[in-house]
Amino acid sequence: MLLFSAILMALTACGQRTDNALSNGGSVKNDEEADPFAGAISQPLIPGIYTADPSAHVFNDKIYIYPSHDINTGIPENDNGDHFAMKDYHVFSMDSLGGKVTDHGIALDVKDIPWAGRQLWAPDAAYKNGTYYLYFPLKDKQDIFRIGVATSKTPEGPFKAQSEPVKGSFSIDPAVFTDTDGISYMYFGGIWGGQLQKWENGKFNADGSKTDRNKDDEPALTPKVAKMSNDMLKFAEEPKDIVILDENRKVLKGGDHDKRFFEASWVHKYNGKYYFSYSTGDTHQICYAIGENPYGPFIYQGVILKPVVGWTSHHSIVEFKGIWLLFYHDTQLSNGKTYLRNVKVTELKYDAGGKIIPVDAYANK
Ligand code: FUB
């Protein structure tokens, strides 16, 4: 514990917001009282470029981070997320907590993806049988989000994209969880700009509404899960619904904006239970639900991460050398620009019953 506190202090010392060259014209406030980041428990891990949606994994005893690479395109902000118009991915690694973060450069560029339209959103990575897999959401040439996969012999890439998206994939935010028996599952989906609401009947309906805004009394839209094939390039089954139940075992409703799934799935296993975590989007929480198997149902438990500064929230959870870590993002480097985010990390703690202690990213006020 003492060691982790010392490491956190080191991280705090190395990413002063006023020192960065990325403030994008925003004014840096010197008034601590007015600074929404003044109580930040962690500082940006990667000061050189804007990064978001961190999927962290431990490969070969190192932490590898697979984030989105945010850029300023000048596209106006809207509910579709058109302003998140990312064009490539960088992979980062750390030998130790608080140690140097290495930027391995461009791991995959949109111009090298044969089926690409636009917008490389939140990726994830996995390893099996000597190959590393980078999974990514991207709009195809018809402007429909699909999930692609690219492969490499090394965790940092560069990755080579398959010529087509994963067959049967749709929407955004792939998260690939490999269970202790070696079977891998992809969790995915995201509403509003993530287009999940346009797939209610198994076909893409461009006129699909922002369902949860209009159907508060109906069951909330569900994230999806599919077992992966042995070669990790295909779904081994039709995607299934992930059902999230409330404390009374009732299905969450579209109107449960504080609890219902919006985007940013992640799964980890703790003490034999499956923890499905996700963002609630317009209420900006990272929440979690616990299940007995990879398919659920999952019972809602509470908040992992309270709202961060910026519209989106996205995370990953990984154990490294006996310490559980929560990777997340906020907008400290850009002084609050919602599409110019930065990755952070903090320790995640559980109580004796396996409940996660909620994190306030600005608790040091
Ligand atoms: O980075 C683009 C999108 O914003 C991600 O796919 C979502 O999870 C949200 O963080």
Side-chain angles (χ1 to χ4, degrees), residues 282-317:
D282 57 334
T283 52
H284 318 291
Q285 319 262 17
I286 298 290
C287 293
Y288 74 110
I290 293 181
E292 300 294 330
N293 67 73
Y295 292 104
F298 294 89
I299 315 289
Y300 179 84
Q301 302 291 319
V303 170
I304 294 177
L305 177 63
K306 297 175 185 175
V308 294
V309 180
W311 201 93
T312 67
S313 195
H314 195 120
H315 72 300
S316 64
I317 295 169

Side-chain angles (χ1 to χ4, degrees), residues 52-53 68 70 84 86 120-122 137 172-173 263-264 279 312-314 329 341:
D53 310 325
S68 298
D70 283 356
F84 295 109
M86 297 82 107
L120 281 172
W121 282 15
I172 59 166
D173 290 4
E263 62 188 4
S279 166
T312 67
S313 195
H314 195 120
H329 69 226
R341 301 161 291 178

Side-chain angles (χ1 to χ4, degrees), residues 231-305:
D231 67 7
M232 298 291 275
L233 301 175
K234 298 182 284 294
F235 291 156
E237 61 187 4
E238 287 287 313
K240 300 179 194 321
D241 292 339
I242 289 283
V243 174
I244 305 173
L245 305 174
D246 69 13
E247 298 85 338
N248 302 312
R249 307 298 191 263
K250 296 251 166 51
V251 172
L252 291 182
K253 299 274 176 53
D256 290 330
H257 286 225
D258 263 343
K259 296 180 178 170
R260 61 93 173 87
F261 171 81
F262 188 101
E263 62 188 4
S265 299
W266 189 260
V267 170
H268 74 282
K269 204 170 178 181
Y270 180 77
N271 282 350
K273 307 263 190 217
Y274 297 80
Y275 287 57
F276 177 77
S277 45
Y278 56 95
S279 166
T280 60
D282 57 334
T283 52
H284 318 291
Q285 319 262 17
I286 298 290
C287 293
Y288 74 110
I290 293 181
E292 300 294 330
N293 67 73
Y295 292 104
F298 294 89
I299 315 289
Y300 179 84
Q301 302 291 319
V303 170
I304 294 177
L305 177 63

